[in-house]
Amino acid sequence: RRSRERERGRERALRFAEDGDMVAEKDKLKHFLAVGKSVESSAAAMELIRTATAEPGMLAFQELSVLPAVRALSSSEDADCRVMFNLLLVFAYGTWSSYKKEGGRLPPISPEQQRKLRQLSVITLAEQNKVLPYAMLMSELDLKDIRELEDFIINDCIYTGVLVGKLDQKLRYLEVECAVGRDVHPNQLDEIVTSLESWLGSSDELLEAIQGQLDWANQTSQARAMHKTQVNMRIEEVKKNIRTELELRGAAQQDAMMTDSTGPGLDMMDEDPRDPRSVRSKRRR
């Protein structure tokens, strides 16, 4: 039964990704951004954060954090406002364990927010490793029961399209095929830029190597074509010489045969019958 549930969950997740249902997440983000642009009071901004972080399928929060009313919470004189803004940053860049480490410095969160933060934690782990042992997941998600962990992965991660993967109950690990993306922390931008520049440099070197191979292949092909042309020309020249030589030999043989067949007759015709030494004169006598 558990195996069938995992397979159905995997199929549903694949359909979720293939059918483009992730558009709903973008629509939700657009909705909250539109609402946030009209927010002016701190209370409304705090309520926007509470609603967005509990909304199912809403996994991106960085753009919310830069809205003027929301951003103003970080510098507010009210400690509750600053704490709520810090909570939003945890949902944007943090994990369940980072929330727990903050202890009482962050406000309590609802079951829906806890579920959301655990989903985000799994995404973060999937970005680092494609094979996630149960022990790692249970420690990161603060879950004590294997059944509870498997139910969470199947129902709250695979079924919802957070990731595509499969559970190995015998070896106790989650193998991730792919997962949705998270917000990138500003501190990671330099690292990402460096990685992209390194990738670009490697790509340029690879392209140069490929171009070099193509140039070599073209030169080799041209050289072979030229050699083939020269060989064919030489073959034709040899054939022509052979034909000429055969024609000359044939003509010489024909001349020799004609000479052998007509030579004696001409000699007898040329004899003078009045010559007493001729054959005809002797026969008449």
Side-chain angles (χ1 to χ4, degrees):
R1 178 184 175 185
R2 300 289 296 174
S3 177
R4 290 196 300 271
E5 289 180 355
R6 292 199 307 274
E7 188 61 28
R8 285 198 298 269
R10 184 169 181 271
E11 292 176 356
R12 285 180 57 185
L14 286 171
R15 289 196 300 270
F16 183 91
E18 292 173 356
D19 296 341
D21 290 342
M22 293 307 295
V23 174
E25 179 188 345
K26 296 180 181 179
D27 291 340
K28 290 180 180 181
L29 177 59
K30 291 179 180 179
H31 167 73
F32 281 107
L33 290 175
V35 172
K37 290 177 181 179
S38 62
V39 168
E40 296 181 356
S41 66
S42 299
M46 294 172 67
E47 184 59 30
L48 177 68
I49 292 174
R50 278 190 288 265
T51 305
T53 53
E55 178 67 26
M58 178 77 173
L59 300 173
F61 303 96
Q62 190 272 337
E63 292 181 73
L64 287 177
S65 67
V66 298
L67 293 174
V70 176
R71 190 69 182 177
L73 297 177
S74 63
S75 57
S76 174
E77 295 180 358
D78 189 341
D80 292 339
C81 293
R82 297 194 300 272
V83 167
M84 185 60 67
F85 182 80
N86 291 336
L87 178 64
L88 177 62
L89 295 182
V90 171
F91 276 87
Y93 312 117
T95 61
W96 175 259
S97 62
S98 63
Y99 169 77
K100 297 291 288 184
K101 288 178 181 178
E102 292 294 325
R105 290 188 292 273
L106 293 175
I109 57 179
S110 66
E112 292 78 15
Q113 289 174 312
Q114 293 180 23
R115 173 175 173 270
K116 174 71 64 62
L117 199 50
R118 285 191 170 103
Q119 288 175 325
L120 295 169
S121 301
V122 174
I123 295 172
T124 298
L125 292 175
E127 291 174 352
Q128 302 168 358
N129 299 285
K130 294 305 180 183
V131 177
L132 306 175
Y134 278 15
M136 176 191 295
L137 291 168
M138 293 176 68
S139 175
E140 177 64 30
L141 304 180
D142 196 22
L143 298 175
K144 306 300 182 183
D145 183 73
I146 292 179
R147 179 61 182 272
E148 184 181 8
L149 171 65
E150 292 178 341
D151 288 343
F152 172 76
I153 296 298
I154 293 172
N155 298 324
D156 296 330
C157 294
I158 297 179
Y159 280 5
T160 58
V162 170
L163 61 82
V164 176
K166 58 184 179 180
L167 292 171
D168 190 318
Q169 291 180 305
K170 182 177 181 180
L171 299 179
R172 295 189 176 184
Y173 65 78
L174 167 65
E175 183 176 358
V176 180
E177 295 182 19
C178 62
V180 299
R182 290 196 64 182
D183 294 313
V184 178
H185 195 283
N187 294 340
Q188 296 177 305
L189 293 179
D190 291 339
E191 180 181 351
I192 293 175
V193 170
T194 301
S195 299
L196 290 175
E197 289 176 345
S198 176
W199 174 82
L200 182 60
S202 300
S203 299
D204 290 339
E205 292 177 359
L206 179 60
L207 288 175
E208 290 178 2
I210 293 175
Q211 187 60 49
Q213 292 294 324
L214 289 175
D215 293 341
W216 175 84
N218 290 333
Q219 293 173 1
T220 302
S221 177
Q222 293 174 2
R224 288 179 177 175
M226 185 179 297
H227 177 70
K228 182 178 180 181
T229 301
Q230 294 174 349
V231 170
N232 291 335
M233 291 176 61
R234 180 59 180 165
I235 291 174
E236 291 299 325
E237 183 180 352
V238 171
K239 288 181 178 179
K240 184 178 180 181
N241 293 337
I242 292 175
R243 285 195 296 268
T244 302
E245 184 176 352
L246 291 176
E247 290 174 356
L248 293 174
R249 288 183 180 179
Q253 291 177 357
Q254 187 175 5
D255 292 342
M257 293 175 62
M258 292 179 64
T259 300
D260 293 342
S261 61
T262 60
L266 291 173
D267 292 340
M268 293 180 64
M269 292 294 291
D270 291 339
E271 291 181 355
D272 187 352
R274 294 171 296 180
D275 187 350
R277 293 174 298 180
S278 67
V279 176
R280 290 181 181 179
S281 176
K282 290 179 182 181
R283 287 180 180 177
R284 288 175 184 175
R285 293 177 187 172

